[in-house]
Amino acid sequence: MTYPSIAAIPGEQEPQLVDPIEPQGPESGEVLCETIYLGICGTDREILHSASPHVPFGAEQLVLGHECLARVLEVGEGVADVRAGDLVVPAVRRPTTGATTEGIDAFKLKRRPDMMPWGAYVERGIVWEHGFSLPQWIDRPEYLYHVPTGIEEIAILSEPISVSEKAVREAEQAQAARLGEQEWLANPPRVLITGMGPIAFAAVICCRARGWDVTVWGRDSEDTFRAALAREFDATYVGLDGLSFSPANVEQDGFELVLECTGNDRVMMRSAGLLAGCGIMVWLGASRLPQVSEFDVNQIMRSAILGNHLFIGTVNNAPQDMQSAINHLAKLNSQYGGAIAKMITQQVDPQDSLWHYTNRVPQGIKTIVKYAQWS
Ligand code: BGC
């Protein structure tokens, strides 16, 4: 059976099932892959909500799907890094082939793709290139990451985990640059993660892989599935009233690292009050909805200056982050494999997936779309 693609169409907020594009190739230096699993994420929902997807040049729709587990079917001449039968996870972002880069400073085009400005990159399934909701597609080997044996069922989480990996790595690097390599190695940061979506749980995985103590703050009550799942990772879960956002002694009761995954300005502003000296907050979640401002931003800024805080915005990932995500899944598999697998809360076939592109299941974390068997 050939499954359909899931497409975002300009002017429409609902996704559509469409006939898949037939791949041509693989040519020399290319790889033919088949999709096994796709992950649905908030970005897919935002693309649809906007009703203005960034469709590839000359196309009428954008084929969605950027979180993917795939199998290599065939390799073109000269491809040595991957072989038929390998399981892989593709990178989302790549440099453009040039057509849209007019007006962008040349030095910015030499940056790592995740640090490039808008216009200099494409993202498969998101920006100007079709994604992976396709039974088969062509790629280049440098964008494919090997999945080791044993993590086949959870490797679909690699891409969202890599986004959190980047956030954590940037915080580590910033801290090492200003306080020395030993600072967080000798004194692991206390971490607060705000939110209970896939990126928040991905952040839990990144921090637990480093052996750090984690507190997760969310809106759920203590007896919910997601609160219990946070605890399965040996994180402390605190609900709405469980955390004082203005502790009397922030050095004692605060956090060295806050990973903000809600995208909610109220949560962000309040959790800024929990940063201990030299603390770092990384923003990973962004909300598309404009919010009413109700906080004393000046005070936050003053604390940031006097407390040497860093606020970092991060997006996408570096190749090393993709690799870390996969390595950390493999590393944590024996201890937390069961908990990680529980993050996949729904599994649907492509033709039953459309509802999930515009709705969330209560207590759901990650819905995956199944195109093929991995074994
Ligand atoms: C993806 C990233 C991407 C970002 C912005 C996220 O959902 O996981 O790879 O860079 O959206 O488009």
Side-chain angles (χ1 to χ4, degrees):
M1 151 160 209
T2 304
Y3 283 122
S5 291
I6 299 142
I9 297 168
E12 294 183 26
Q13 287 190 318
E14 298 293 325
Q16 301 288 332
L17 295 176
V18 297
D19 287 339
I21 303 161
E22 287 283 329
Q24 306 291 320
E27 304 283 327
S28 161
E30 292 179 342
V31 181
L32 176 69
C33 296
E34 73 168 328
T35 293
I36 296 173
Y37 294 142
L38 274 188
I40 300 180
C41 93
T43 302
D44 297 307
R45 297 190 183 100
E46 281 176 20
I47 291 168
L48 290 160
H49 183 84
S50 75
S52 54
H54 299 291
V55 301
F57 184 73
E60 286 173 1
Q61 62 204 16
L62 172 72
V63 172
L64 290 171
H66 60 276
E67 298 174 6
C68 179
L69 172 71
R71 186 185 359 253
V72 173
L73 292 178
E74 207 184 316
V75 301
E77 208 186 295
V79 173
D81 304 342
V82 292
R83 289 184 309 188
D86 286 354
L87 289 189
V88 292
V89 174
V92 172
R93 187 179 291 195
R94 302 99 190 278
T96 62
T97 42
T100 56
T101 56
E102 219 172 287
I104 300 175
D105 291 330
F107 73 93
K108 294 182 183 168
L109 299 173
K110 294 197 186 110
R111 288 183 188 158
R112 222 171 53 200
D114 62 303
M115 295 306 214
M116 282 178 171
W118 177 258
Y121 61 83
V122 296
E123 289 187 331
R124 289 202 63 166
I126 305 176
V127 182
W128 298 326
E129 239 182 61
H130 290 311
F132 306 110
S133 67
L134 286 165
Q136 297 185 2
W137 39 273
I138 298 283
D139 213 333
R140 297 191 62 84
E142 60 267 33
Y143 298 126
L144 303 175
Y145 292 82
H146 277 279
V147 172
T149 312
I151 61 163
E152 296 86 350
E153 279 299 328
I154 51 177
I156 182 63
L157 299 170
S158 303
E159 207 281 333
I161 294 173
S162 73
V163 169
S164 296
E165 282 291 348
K166 177 178 174 183
V168 172
R169 176 182 56 73
E170 293 231 320
E172 284 177 317
Q173 289 181 336
Q175 207 66 323
R178 60 190 192 149
L179 299 178
E181 295 283 346
Q182 279 309 305
E183 176 78 11
W184 277 4
L185 292 178
N187 315 289
R190 294 166 293 178
V191 185
L192 174 67
I193 296 172
T194 53
M196 305 200 79
I199 287 295
F201 277 98
V204 171
I205 290 172
C206 300
C207 295
R208 295 300 299 136
R210 289 163 169 80
W212 296 346
D213 282 345
V214 170
T215 299
V216 175
W217 178 91
R219 280 185 294 188
D220 288 10
S221 58
E222 301 270 344
D223 56 358
T224 56
F225 161 73
R226 294 191 304 187
L229 189 56
R231 287 190 292 264
E232 273 191 52
F233 284 104
D234 296 314
T236 303
Y237 177 73
V238 286
L240 274 187
D241 304 321
L243 199 61
S244 161
F245 282 101
S246 41
N249 184 343
V250 80
E251 287 306 317
Q252 192 181 293
D253 299 321
F255 297 88
E256 280 73 36
L257 178 61
V258 175
L259 299 171
E260 206 304 294
C261 303
T262 68
N264 179 295
D265 62 347
R266 190 157 196 268
V267 175
M268 186 284 281
M269 294 297 240
R270 295 183 77 193
S271 49
L274 281 165
L275 281 172
C278 292
I280 298 183
M281 176 182 289
V282 189
W283 296 334
L284 290 93
S287 172
R288 60 172 180 267
L289 301 173
Q291 319 249 330
V292 180
S293 158
E294 55 175 291
F295 285 89
D296 184 352
V297 181
N298 290 344
Q299 183 54 42
I300 302 281
M301 292 169 75
R302 185 175 156 75
S303 306
I305 292 165
L306 297 182
N308 291 294
H309 299 166
L310 283 180
F311 295 84
I312 304 178
T314 66
V315 65
N316 197 249
N317 47 46
Q320 73 186 91
D321 304 316
M322 283 294 283
Q323 202 51 60
S324 301
I326 293 168
N327 295 350
H328 285 156
L329 280 173
K331 174 178 165 179
L332 294 186
N333 196 23
S334 57
Q335 194 182 358
Y336 295 125
I340 296 170
K342 284 187 193 171
M343 287 169 63
I344 300 170
T345 41
Q346 280 79 34
Q347 184 172 310
V348 292
D349 286 338
Q351 63 272 31
D352 301 325
S353 67
L354 297 187
W355 183 87
H356 294 269
Y357 276 89
T358 43
N359 296 278
R360 285 174 202 271
V361 174
Q363 291 295 308
I365 299 174
K366 177 63 69 184
T367 296
I368 64 169
V369 186
K370 188 173 176 183
Y371 271 80
Q373 308 272 6
W374 62 263
S375 57

